Amino acid sequence: MKSIVVYSSLTGNTKMVGEAIAEVLAPNCDIYKVEDNPDITGYDLVVVGFWVDKGTADAKASKFLKSIRNSKVAVYATLGAEPDSEHAKTSLQNGIDMLDSSNEVMGRFICQGKIDPKLLEAMKKM
């Protein structure tokens, strides 16, 4: 099975998770940053990773998720909150909901990651 991992990462955590997924799927797996806008034609599985921004996929990942058609897709996400929280579950589902109905969702995963230092600074000032 030929697979591709496409990720968007702010702090590096989503990238690390994507690299681990690609390693497990190796040797027939390619990995790209979402901004590389890779061609997913010919892949049996498309794995998309995003960091959670305001309760959904970040803007770059959102655009990519919306562009996928007629594929088997797995989606993973990272966020600063507890992965078992309602916010995490809803955020992951919001990202998945961006996929066109022609796709088949094969799996989903969310985990806690680093929090953007800029956000921590802003929260301290509040």
Side-chain angles (χ1 to χ4, degrees), residues 6-80:
V6 181
Y7 67 87
S8 177
S9 191
L10 180 66
T11 61
N13 192 58
T14 312
K15 176 185 178 187
M16 289 187 334
V17 174
E19 290 170 341
I21 292 169
E23 189 175 315
V24 169
L25 295 173
N28 295 318
C29 184
D30 298 316
I31 184 167
Y32 293 92
K33 291 187 256 183
V34 72
E35 47 268 41
D36 294 337
N37 198 27
D39 181 2
I40 61 169
T41 305
Y43 287 97
D44 301 305
L45 177 65
V46 179
V47 180
V48 182
F50 64 85
W51 56 277
V52 172
D53 185 25
K54 299 177 189 92
T56 191
D58 66 277
K60 291 177 186 177
S62 294
K63 182 178 177 185
F64 187 78
L65 284 162
K66 291 174 183 176
S67 74
I68 302 170
R69 300 282 185 276
N70 303 307
S71 297
K72 292 184 178 181
V73 184
V75 179
Y76 74 95
T78 61
L79 79 165

Side-chain angles (χ1 to χ4, degrees), residues 7 15 24 31 36 67 75 78 80-82 84-85 96 103-104 106 108 113 119-120:
Y7 67 87
K15 176 185 178 187
V24 169
I31 184 167
D36 294 337
S67 74
V75 179
T78 61
E82 291 291 326
D84 291 336
S85 69
I96 291 168
N103 297 298
E104 182 180 355
M106 304 302 292
R108 62 184 72 208
L119 180 59
L120 290 175

Side-chain angles (χ1 to χ4, degrees), residues 78-95:
T78 61
L79 79 165
E82 291 291 326
D84 291 336
S85 69
E86 197 58 42
H87 172 67
K89 293 173 189 171
T90 301
S91 297
L92 179 61
Q93 188 60 50
N94 287 342

